[in-house]
Amino acid sequence: MNHTQFLADNTKAPAAAQPQVAAWLAANAPAPETQASRLRLNRWNMLDVELEDGRRLFDAFPPQFAYRSWPPTEQAERSATIIVGANLGYGINHMLEQTPPRHRLLVVEPDPAMLSLCLGLTDYRPFIESGRLTFIVPQFDALVAAIRGCDKQFLFGRILLQADLPSQQIGPAYAHWTRICREQLDALSVELSTLRRAQDVMVGNELSNFRRALADGDMKSLRGALDGLPAVVAGAGPSLAASAPSVTRLADRALVTAALQTLPAMQAVGIRPDLVLCIDYSDGILRVYDRLDPEWARHVPLIYSTKVQPEVVRRYPGPTLPLWTVGGMATFIAGKDDLVLDAAGNVSVALLRLLHWMGAGRMVLAGQDFGWRGEASHAAGHHAAAITVGTLELPGRDGPVRSTLPYATALRDMEQDIRTLQLDVVNLYGGGALIRGARDITPDDLDRELPPPADGGDANGGTDILAGFRHRLDAAMTPCEQPLFAPRLPQWRTSLRNAQKRLETLFRKPERHGAEIVEMLGRVHFFLRQDPICTPYLYNEIMDVSGLVHGRDRFGLPQMTEFRQIARRVLDKIRRIDEVMTSAGQQAA
């Protein structure tokens, strides 16, 4: 068999649809002619690859036994499968044959030689060009982007992960990328579940906060303001008390930061931070005010996500500054110099990203345990200190640490940021989960890591930088211009009413007008996404319209009823947007 028969044509297809794959192969794949000697017929009389030790991939069992359980039996048209390990294409080809045309396949092949062989033996061009088959380069960012592109499959079907067992004989890279895929699927699950459940609340909060946020100022002028100054990210883990004396000694040589909900615990251990951050959109965050001493916090600035409950900002006793975050109203309309932070789902991760943007130097983690120590998950004084439920284990220095999926997801995000942003991070380790990329230190090591000033200031002028940052922070709290927008509701009402009338006509005989229904719903889907100010608030309705079409061949009255409900919700939201955007309104005190 000609093992390069389809290589050139298959490579051209990724070059057009997936340029990263073509570039990776061109840079890393060995010359095709050097691979011919690796191909052999195995004892099943099937083409196979010979490994370095003389074994072949399918010596143990033939491909039909390896892949017979892979095709999904439910919701196949609405689902996707991620395959780690292409081998000679046996698993891919089985899935292409045994799954419906709308079932997506994503393939991660860590070995460029194996991918080259796979692409040479089967013509995949029709599947690549249609978007059904996607090859992913073994690079973290590419994998994350590809998995996030399967949001419809996650919401309306399933995303299956299949580790190619024969390929794992080649080397440890296959197990490594399988683990990365599993972690990213967990992260996608948390992210999309949160969006579906909470996006209306978060962007609704942004609308309620919109005028107040503009009156409070903006973050733009703080880019790089720390100029290499060290910073502390204090968490509310059980080890905070043990770290407190060391952190208090850093008052004049580092910017001390924490979450709003950590403030009562910090007061209990004698640490007053230079600023606090709040990204929690839920009502539960208001419990912090049951424990917070307003006089003690009066001079601690609060940087708040515009997605938090308006009551959180209104009740805060100190100065406030808004932070616009990804997924909210500023996502598509912010200027190139504006900060729109990906706050993740954990405030300590958000603080690391914010401090990096502000130009911090070495960062010190304190009280960042990501799990339980004994029966405690939080420092005394925190509103969640009494919770004692842990559902999984994370590696710790002295053995497994009891933790939860949200903690594990946040820990992975932090480790990823440390690696990709090349952050210089030390961790005042107190018995919690290990943080890869952060050097564990003891409180006694801290003076060596951040030397104290010899004559009232260190060699970097840390005291002056800190004073300058505080001045710039005060200046950032200058009110912004309050823009006014034209009403949107009349146009949206007319457009959706016309679309609904057309769909009602088509749904009288849906079996005859399926293609026209799909086209009309596609036009509605496009219309809902055309206004960048409205798009974040309409996330659920946009996904619901997408779900009406995704993986569906037949339509009936239930889909028409669902569309009417979606249209009604859209107009209610546009009306709410107009209430905020078309008048300056009353600014919050």
Side-chain angles (χ1 to χ4, degrees):
M1 175 177 283
N2 181 1
H3 71 283
T4 64
Q5 180 178 356
F6 302 107
L7 180 60
D9 289 338
N10 275 336
T11 305
K12 289 178 184 176
Q18 304 161 36
Q20 283 181 306
V21 177
W24 181 74
L25 273 176
N28 297 285
E33 58 270 17
T34 65
Q35 299 299 298
S37 61
R38 298 182 64 193
L39 296 176
R40 296 280 189 276
L41 290 178
N42 59 27
R43 67 193 183 101
W44 315 106
N45 201 33
M46 301 181 73
L47 196 65
D48 208 335
V49 176
E50 189 168 85
L51 304 176
E52 292 181 358
D53 60 5
R55 291 179 300 121
R56 295 169 190 178
L57 285 181
F58 293 95
D59 272 347
F61 43 77
Q64 57 265 34
F65 289 100
Y67 308 117
R68 60 185 176 183
S69 64
W70 277 20
T73 56
E74 298 178 357
Q75 297 183 305
E77 290 192 344
R78 302 187 132 206
S79 300
T81 298
I82 300 172
I83 299 172
V84 181
N87 63 68
L88 297 182
Y90 286 121
I92 299 171
N93 296 349
H94 182 73
M95 290 295 287
L96 289 172
E97 292 171 358
Q98 299 298 320
T99 57
R102 288 195 180 95
H103 186 89
R104 284 195 64 192
L105 297 177
L106 292 81
V107 180
V108 182
E109 174 49 67
D111 186 337
M114 288 303 305
L115 182 56
S116 179
L117 287 171
C118 175
L119 293 175
L121 292 169
T122 305
D123 185 3
Y124 291 121
R125 285 174 299 171
F127 307 105
I128 294 172
E129 291 165 358
S130 69
R132 185 181 178 199
L133 176 61
T134 301
F135 289 94
I136 307 169
V137 295
Q139 296 169 0
F140 185 82
D141 290 344
L143 178 65
V144 170
I147 289 178
R148 287 191 172 187
C150 293
D151 52 354
K152 291 194 292 291
Q153 284 77 14
F154 175 84
L155 291 172
F156 305 111
R158 294 187 298 165
I159 302 179
L160 306 172
L161 176 61
Q162 301 290 1
D164 185 63
L165 187 59
S167 292
Q168 295 195 26
Q169 301 171 86
I170 299 173
Y174 294 87
H176 169 77
W177 283 103
T178 300
R179 177 179 62 81
I180 297 297
C181 287
R182 186 171 291 108
E183 289 176 353
Q184 290 309 305
L185 287 173
D186 287 343
L188 182 71
S189 174
V190 172
E191 179 180 341
L192 291 184
S193 297
T194 300
L195 280 174
R196 286 294 269 180
R197 184 184 70 253
Q199 183 74 351
D200 286 356
V201 174
M202 292 189 290
V203 184
N205 287 344
E206 275 203 314
L207 285 167
S208 298
N209 286 323
F210 185 76
R211 296 297 173 187
R212 164 72 189 253
L214 293 176
D216 278 349
D218 72 71
M219 301 279 297
K220 189 186 309 182
S221 62
L222 297 179
R223 180 190 293 270
L226 289 174
D227 195 22
L229 186 75
V232 177
V233 179
S239 67
L240 178 63
S243 303
S246 301
V247 173
T248 56
R249 297 201 306 269
L250 299 178
D252 294 325
R253 37 186 161 136
L255 184 82
V256 179
T257 69
L260 169 63
Q261 54 266 45
T262 307
L263 269 183
M266 296 191 75
Q267 182 179 11
V269 296
I271 305 173
R272 191 192 305 267
D274 294 294
L275 63 84
V276 292
L277 175 67
C278 182
I279 64 169
D280 190 337
Y281 62 87
S282 69
D283 291 330
I285 189 65
L286 289 167
R287 286 182 291 163
V288 72
Y289 291 115
D290 297 337
R291 298 170 179 263
L292 183 65
D293 179 349
E295 184 60 29
W296 182 84
R298 191 162 59 90
H299 298 295
V300 179
L302 167 67
I303 296 177
Y304 64 93
S305 165
T306 49
K307 297 173 184 170
V308 305
Q309 292 281 347
E311 186 74 1
V312 173
V313 186
R314 189 189 68 78
R315 291 180 61 181
Y316 190 71
T320 55
L321 183 66
L323 172 67
W324 301 92
T325 56
V326 170
M329 296 171 61
T331 301
F332 304 108
I333 62 174
K336 65 177 183 178
D337 296 324
D338 293 323
L339 172 64
V340 182
L341 186 74
D342 182 354
N346 177 271
V347 68
S348 294
V349 174
L351 275 169
L352 276 185
R353 296 175 180 180
L354 180 62
L355 290 168
H356 173 70
W357 177 83
M358 292 194 296
R362 176 165 295 168
M363 300 189 203
V364 179
L365 304 178
Q368 301 289 349
D369 298 320
F370 293 101
W372 275 249
R373 194 171 67 178
E375 294 302 314
S377 63
H378 293 79
H382 192 278
H383 64 269
I387 298 176
T388 59
V389 177
T391 58
L392 54 80
E393 291 182 339
L394 296 174
R397 183 191 293 172
D398 301 318
V401 174
R402 193 152 47 101
S403 188
T404 62
L405 179 58
Y407 276 165
T409 302
L411 177 60
R412 285 199 297 267
D413 286 343
M414 180 176 286
E415 292 172 338
Q416 175 191 334
D417 286 350
I418 292 171
R419 181 178 65 253
T420 58
L421 300 177
Q422 299 182 336
L423 302 179
D424 180 6
V425 180
V426 296
N427 179 29
L428 282 165
Y429 184 75
L434 294 174
I435 303 173
R436 288 177 292 183
R439 291 183 292 111
D440 289 344
I441 63 172
T442 67
D444 293 338
D445 299 326
L446 198 54
D447 284 340
R448 185 181 70 251
E449 298 289 342
L450 301 179
D455 299 307
D458 62 23
N460 296 318
T463 303
D464 293 338
I465 295 173
L466 190 54
F469 173 80
R470 288 168 176 159
H471 176 75
R472 291 175 67 169
L473 183 62
D474 289 341
M477 298 177 187
T478 301
C480 302
E481 181 182 350
Q482 296 277 351
L484 297 178
F485 297 86
R488 289 169 167 77
L489 185 60
Q491 178 193 353
W492 281 71
R493 183 189 289 121
T494 299
S495 297
L496 287 178
R497 186 172 293 163
N498 290 339
Q500 183 169 317
K501 286 180 179 179
R502 176 59 180 158
L503 283 170
E504 286 171 343
T505 300
L506 296 174
F507 267 94
R508 289 170 186 162
K509 295 184 178 179
E511 66 283 353
R512 294 176 54 182
H513 300 297
E516 294 170 89
I517 290 171
V518 169
E519 180 186 0
M520 193 67 217
L521 289 173
R523 291 168 62 184
V524 172
H525 188 255
F526 178 82
F527 175 75
L528 296 183
R529 294 179 292 128
Q530 49 84 31
D531 189 325
I533 289 179
C534 302
T535 298
Y537 200 23
L538 297 177
Y539 171 82
N540 278 317
E541 287 68 34
I542 291 169
M543 296 308 297
D544 287 340
V545 170
S546 180
L548 286 175
V549 178
H550 176 64
R552 191 186 302 278
D553 286 322
R554 298 179 180 180
F555 296 90
L557 291 180
Q559 285 74 50
M560 188 65 233
T561 300
E562 187 174 350
F563 178 82
R564 292 191 189 99
Q565 294 169 346
I566 294 170
R568 191 177 303 115
R569 295 199 304 271
V570 168
L571 293 179
D572 287 343
K573 289 184 175 182
I574 298 302
R575 186 176 295 106
R576 172 74 178 118
I577 290 173
D578 276 359
E579 289 173 358
V580 173
M581 297 295 187
T582 59
S583 64
Q586 287 188 333
Q587 296 179 14

